Amino acid sequence: MRLKISLTGLIQGVGFRPFIHRLASEMSLAGYVQNDSSGVTIETEGNKASLDAFLLRIERDKPELAKIYTLQFSFLNHTGFCGFEIRPSAEGTKKITPVLPDIAICAECQSEIESPDDRRSGYAFTNCTNCGPRYTIITEIPYDRPNTTMAEFNMCAACEKEYTDPDDRRFHAQPIACPECGPDLSLFSIAGKLICKDKEALAKISHIILQGGIIAVKGLGGFHLLCDATNEDAVTDLRKKKKRDEKPMAVMFPSIEGIKKTFNIDALHEQILCSTAKPVLLLGRKPSNILAPSVSLDNDSVGVFLPYTPLHHLLLKILNRPVVATSANLTDEPIIMGDDEAFAGLREIASHILTHERKIQRRCDDSVVKLIAGKMVPFRRSRGFAPVPIPLAFSLPAPVLALGSQMNCTVALGIEDRVYISQHIGDIDSTQTEAFYEETVNDLLKLFNTTPDIVISDMHPGYYSTRYGERYFKEKLNKVQHHYAHILSCMAENSLGNDREVIGIAFDGTGHGTDGTIWGSEIMTASYKGFIRKFHLLPFQLPGGDMAIKDPRRTAFSLLYSAFKKDAQNRAGDLLSAKEQIFLTEMLNKNIRSPLTSSMGRLFDGIAFILGLRRQVSYNAQAAILLEQQAARAVTTEYYDFNLRGEIIDHLPIIRGVVNDRDSGIQICTISRKFHNSIALIIRDTAKLIREETGIKEVVLSGGVFQNAELLLMTLNLLQDSGFKPLVHQLVPPNDGGLSLGQVVSSLGFINST
Ligand code: ZN
Ligand code: ZN
Ligand code: FE
């Protein structure tokens, strides 16, 4: 395999490239290291185990003066390097002032706040050039103190001395602060009464949390709601008040040791948890552990992370136990970042608010990742990653703005061979999120001081982002098909050159097709210039359209109806009442408000409901996640038959097989495993047909359905066994959070066609 690493930080002129050269040579790895405008790029080849070891040793053995702010890596296909070389610095790329992401507190700052004699002992805003807030405090470029939200604090003499001393760790650390001159912590009652400050405030909120209370804490990119993760009553109370029925909640642990006791983790998990981005990592919990059951209810998987600001460290150290740390937001609204918003919005939820005077310039939610097949797959790329650029294998001819999607939205700006993706905006379901969206587009253009020549949106006429593009960028706007953009995003992050053609598998929930129907199971050939849809699921009806997405019982019944016709009502079990079944049969029969879809996400929903895993859903993809977790419990290579007819994948035999197995008492986990196997086989078989016709061997997997680890692992195995080269997401999410990257590179097709 080939490992590609992009690093930012203090890594130029500190002996970093010679170090990489020595390390690679010692480990007999071939490849190169190169300086470029945003940092250092390394590519190296070897087997997976030695590449993993190489990755771990970069951080561990790096030169003393080198400081790594961010490290992005992906495993790519082998190209055949010969020896290891230090390449001359990349030229031709215009120097873009880098805007750094927020960086978790470094070891040195941590030891200072923990040491009783240090002048920053117990100080919650300690930072240095190696750590601290960046993206969330910058008001404009260049990144200097007057251009941050720290501008209003005047440095004291001691801080000034550190700031101006080239030998000091805080030389030009823009957010530099100390208890003398920097922000203070203030604890308020939710009614707005100041209770106490600083160390006293930390002690007081710890006490409230230990008593089972819920408090709001101002973090880096917004407020969190915190409660004791080991206290079932507290967690249940938080769920009820936040109106968050079942979706698992993220848990912050005081230390990596605590995580090890509760979850089975390996060296790569540990590296991700301890990295400078400190993302939320999704893990399956050990059978018996200290977490309250309500943290994740029916779902096996819990998001876990470590403290990333001095404030979190100080607090968790006192608490000495895991806390639920969930974004403070109201249903459908973005994360709260201002004090006024917090006091008004969290009235019914938190009893107290811990805040401070350092203003948050832009909202930034925690990032969420999962380790699948030894690769870090982002589910949400936000704090700690945004706005680190994604490097492209080619240069864009003009600046491009991509407007993203509707769900899990991000926007992106492409300049030359870099794509700057915004933080997570979320689902655009409220006027507040619409405002956040607009803010983020304008912010990105301002921050990188760019006017786009080309603007790209999705094709869906109902998306807020599409309408936004039509309104503000009409003459520059081009629209790109949703699933094609998914494939392009995965091609781009895998550094595929602009002459490449691949087999693309885009499986997701919904996307607007070029024929006006709802797509979601696209198997295509694709290049940056265009795509040809080769296969897709047999379209089925969604009775009630969006209502069927919210109530997958409708989707399940539609699938049963298409597979069994008149017998569907006998096969539905207790899925629906008799009255509901008659009503839905009527809708399907007469085709009343029942749009056609070929969505793979809907098929997963429907199967989960046919198997009785859920009666309703309370969060996105819930049913499909439970189906995935069932599959993980069974081992079998059996599968259900399917037919390929022309471009149609006929999945009706799969549904009949699932229902027959269910009715003859086969275990649900076995049925789910067989179902997953069938979908992976559909991918392999159709890819083979396309390979026979075109000779293409590279298969790109994208779309939200590929967050399903069971499906992804099975698919990777089958494709590799058949001689394909599968490519997956490691830098941007497979879901719509990655769409803006694909939209940016789709501009190549529009430029060539005009
Ligand atoms: Zn530091
Ligand atoms: Zn100071
Ligand atoms: Fe999508």
Side-chain angles (χ1 to χ4, degrees):
M1 292 175 104
R2 171 166 51 120
L3 173 65
K4 178 169 185 166
I5 308 170
S6 301
L7 299 134
T8 66
L10 304 175
I11 44 179
Q12 297 188 352
V14 291
F16 191 74
R17 287 175 303 164
F19 153 69
I20 293 295
H21 185 265
R22 274 196 311 278
L23 183 60
S25 308
E26 181 196 317
M27 300 179 71
S28 307
L29 295 170
Y32 71 89
V33 56
Q34 183 177 39
N35 279 349
D36 57 42
S37 62
S38 45
V40 168
T41 301
I42 305 166
E43 287 195 42
T44 180
E45 290 179 346
N47 61 40
K48 179 75 169 49
S50 44
L51 294 178
D52 282 349
F54 180 72
L55 202 52
L56 294 170
R57 284 190 60 186
I58 291 179
E59 183 62 48
R60 205 186 69 200
D61 302 341
K62 66 181 187 303
E64 191 140 359
L65 284 175
K67 299 289 176 195
I68 296 171
Y69 291 160
T70 64
L71 184 155
Q72 291 183 121
F73 67 91
S74 46
F75 291 99
L76 308 174
N77 285 326
H78 184 267
T79 48
F81 289 118
C82 211
F84 198 93
E85 56 169 345
I86 299 181
R87 287 197 185 161
S89 299
E91 279 173 37
T93 39
K94 191 174 76 185
K95 190 99 178 155
I96 300 278
T97 317
V99 179
L100 288 166
D102 299 297
I103 300 158
I105 182 174
C106 72
E108 284 156 297
C109 286
Q110 199 181 323
S111 80
E112 285 175 359
I113 62 170
E114 283 168 5
S115 132
D117 322 316
D118 195 275
R119 74 185 191 92
R120 290 189 176 84
S121 175
Y123 184 54
F125 304 92
T126 303
N127 65 79
C128 71
T129 40
N130 308 323
C131 75
R134 301 284 187 270
Y135 187 50
T136 53
I137 60 163
I138 299 172
T139 50
E140 46 193 312
I141 50 166
Y143 176 57
D144 277 327
R145 188 169 175 105
N147 294 340
T148 71
T149 60
M150 283 300 289
E152 60 188 89
F153 297 90
N154 290 319
M155 277 180 231
C156 68
C159 283
E160 177 100 47
K161 186 163 171 286
E162 293 169 330
Y163 184 84
T164 49
D165 176 2
D167 290 330
D168 196 279
R169 200 172 92 246
R170 297 198 166 87
F171 178 61
H172 282 193
Q174 307 305 344
I176 188 173
C178 78
E180 265 314 292
C181 64
D184 303 320
L185 280 176
S186 304
L187 180 66
F188 289 93
S189 73
I190 193 72
K193 183 170 171 277
L194 180 66
I195 311 280
C196 53
K197 302 208 41 134
D198 300 321
K199 285 176 191 172
E200 217 186 312
L202 284 171
K204 175 81 182 162
I205 60 162
S206 304
H207 182 74
I208 299 169
I209 291 174
L210 293 176
Q211 298 292 310
I214 300 166
I215 52 145
V217 175
K218 187 175 177 181
L220 267 181
F223 279 80
H224 277 134
L225 289 166
L226 261 54
C227 77
D228 182 350
T230 67
N231 181 334
E232 176 65 12
D233 290 341
V235 178
T236 318
D237 192 34
L238 175 55
R239 279 198 181 279
K240 200 174 76 216
K241 288 178 172 160
K242 207 190 165 192
K243 299 191 180 71
R244 180 151 164 151
D245 296 343
E246 289 170 320
K247 192 175 181 187
M249 296 199 281
V251 178
M252 188 183 272
F253 276 76
S255 67
I256 190 79
E257 287 69 34
I259 295 179
K260 284 179 181 166
K261 280 183 202 143
T262 314
F263 303 88
N264 289 312
I265 63 169
D266 63 22
L268 261 184
H269 288 115
E270 184 167 345
Q271 196 205 14
I272 292 168
L273 286 164
C274 298
S275 67
T276 57
K278 292 254 174 13
V280 173
L281 176 65
L282 296 173
L283 293 169
R285 57 162 117 178
K286 286 183 184 172
S288 71
N289 59 72
I290 56 167
L291 295 181
S294 285
V295 166
S296 64
L297 292 168
D298 60 346
N299 189 325
D300 291 345
S301 146
V302 186
V304 177
F305 59 152
L306 287 170
Y308 53 87
T309 67
L311 171 54
H312 295 136
H313 266 287
L314 294 165
L315 184 57
L316 274 276
K317 191 151 172 112
I318 303 172
L319 285 166
N320 194 26
R321 67 180 61 201
V323 291
V324 166
T326 181
S327 297
N329 66 319
L330 305 178
T331 312
D332 296 335
E333 292 185 15
I335 186 170
I336 288 174
M337 70 170 178
D339 285 3
D340 293 347
E341 272 178 278
F343 282 113
L346 304 176
R347 237 175 12 246
E348 312 286 323
I349 306 176
S351 66
H352 293 77
I353 290 187
L354 182 68
T355 186
H356 55 78
E357 303 99 340
R358 190 178 72 204
K359 207 180 137 233
I360 298 174
Q361 179 63 22
R362 53 185 66 69
R363 298 169 209 278
C364 201
D365 270 288
D366 293 319
S367 293
V368 182
V369 305
K370 186 168 178 175
L371 196 59
I372 305 177
K375 294 168 181 178
M376 187 186 87
V377 182
F379 283 20
R380 176 196 291 171
R381 185 185 188 271
S382 202
R383 182 205 29 91
F385 296 104
V388 181
I390 306 294
L392 299 177
F394 49 85
S395 250
L396 298 162
V400 185
L401 172 69
L403 296 172
S405 183
Q406 177 79 7
M407 306 272 287
N408 285 315
C409 188
T410 61
V411 293
L413 187 60
I415 306 169
E416 296 182 338
D417 63 347
R418 292 283 187 272
V419 182
Y420 303 86
I421 304 175
S422 75
Q423 70 272 42
H424 167 79
I425 299 167
D427 302 349
I428 311 182
D429 284 340
S430 64
T431 49
Q432 288 81 356
T433 322
E434 288 174 4
F436 179 30
Y437 177 89
E438 192 161 344
E439 241 165 68
T440 307
V441 172
N442 293 329
D443 183 39
L444 200 63
L445 294 176
K446 187 181 148 204
L447 213 50
F448 292 96
N449 195 16
T450 299
T451 310
D453 287 345
I454 303 169
V455 179
I456 314 275
S457 79
D458 197 88
M459 273 183 175
H460 199 300
Y463 282 2
Y464 176 79
S465 54
T466 309
R467 286 183 278 126
Y468 183 84
E470 285 165 349
R471 184 158 165 207
Y472 293 103
F473 298 101
K474 190 147 188 59
E475 64 290 355
K476 293 178 179 176
L477 188 68
N478 291 281
K479 296 179 184 175
V480 63
Q481 203 278 320
H482 188 94
H483 304 99
Y484 172 48
H486 270 305
I487 297 304
L488 289 177
S489 74
C490 193
M491 288 174 69
E493 72 154 79
N494 277 285
S495 299
L496 295 194
N498 53 6
D499 54 349
R500 300 290 286 278
E501 198 176 5
V502 299
I503 298 169
I505 316 286
F507 285 176
D508 81 346
T510 40
H512 192 80
T514 53
D515 59 3
T517 68
I518 307 163
W519 289 9
S521 59
E522 276 33 74
I523 297 181
M524 61 177 81
T525 56
S527 73
Y528 293 103
K529 313 283 155 58
F531 74 102
I532 300 167
R533 191 187 193 208
K534 293 286 197 182
F535 298 95
H536 58 86
L537 284 181
L538 176 69
F540 52 94
Q541 293 166 290
L542 284 181
D546 280 351
M547 282 174 78
I549 298 173
K550 295 201 177 77
D551 180 5
R553 295 182 312 153
R554 287 167 173 256
T555 312
F557 189 76
S558 167
L559 291 172
L560 291 170
Y561 182 77
S562 55
F564 294 103
K565 294 294 168 211
K566 285 203 182 82
D567 202 27
Q569 297 193 27
N570 293 325
R571 297 295 196 138
D574 57 359
L575 187 67
L576 297 144
S577 69
K579 211 173 135 192
E580 286 171 317
Q581 292 187 28
I582 293 165
F583 173 70
L584 287 179
T585 307
E586 181 87 354
M587 279 184 89
L588 292 165
N589 229 337
K590 298 193 174 152
N591 201 20
I592 303 163
R593 283 181 291 114
S594 296
L596 285 175
T597 184
S598 51
S599 158
M600 187 58 81
R602 297 289 87 80
L603 180 62
F604 272 77
D605 278 355
I607 297 291
F609 271 71
I610 287 171
L611 292 177
L613 288 173
R614 291 295 307 173
R615 312 281 301 184
Q616 80 242 0
V617 286
S618 69
Y619 58 90
N620 190 23
Q622 182 181 16
I625 290 169
L626 298 184
L627 191 63
E628 171 192 348
Q629 293 178 353
Q630 284 293 333
R633 294 184 193 132
V635 186
T636 174
T637 52
E638 283 181 65
Y639 61 95
Y640 300 111
D641 279 321
F642 52 87
N643 299 317
L644 297 176
R645 287 195 315 270
E647 64 178 41
I648 297 290
I649 303 157
D650 178 2
H651 57 270
L652 297 182
I654 297 179
I655 295 168
R656 290 186 201 111
V658 165
V659 175
N660 289 338
D661 271 3
R662 181 200 67 185
D663 292 349
S664 44
I666 307 281
Q667 278 196 311
I668 300 297
C669 61
T670 306
I671 302 174
S672 176
R673 167 51 64 196
K674 285 172 72 177
F675 172 71
H676 279 73
N677 292 347
S678 314
I679 305 302
L681 283 166
I682 288 174
I683 296 171
R684 187 199 62 187
D685 290 357
T686 53
K688 274 186 171 174
L689 290 171
I690 298 174
R691 183 173 62 187
E692 276 166 29
E693 184 194 329
T694 62
I696 304 172
K697 288 200 185 95
E698 267 161 338
V699 183
V700 167
L701 305 171
S702 188
V705 170
F706 287 107
Q707 288 180 191
N708 181 322
E710 296 305 316
L711 177 66
L712 188 58
L713 284 167
M714 188 69 199
T715 304
L716 289 175
N717 285 339
L718 286 178
L719 288 175
Q720 272 151 0
D721 288 350
S722 304
F724 288 102
K725 291 180 174 177
L727 300 173
V728 299
H729 283 286
Q730 300 165 73
L731 299 181
V732 302
N735 63 46
D736 287 3
L739 208 73
S740 57
L741 171 62
Q743 291 175 339
V744 164
V745 294
S746 77
S747 60
L748 292 189
F750 294 116
I751 289 164
N752 281 26
S753 65
T754 49

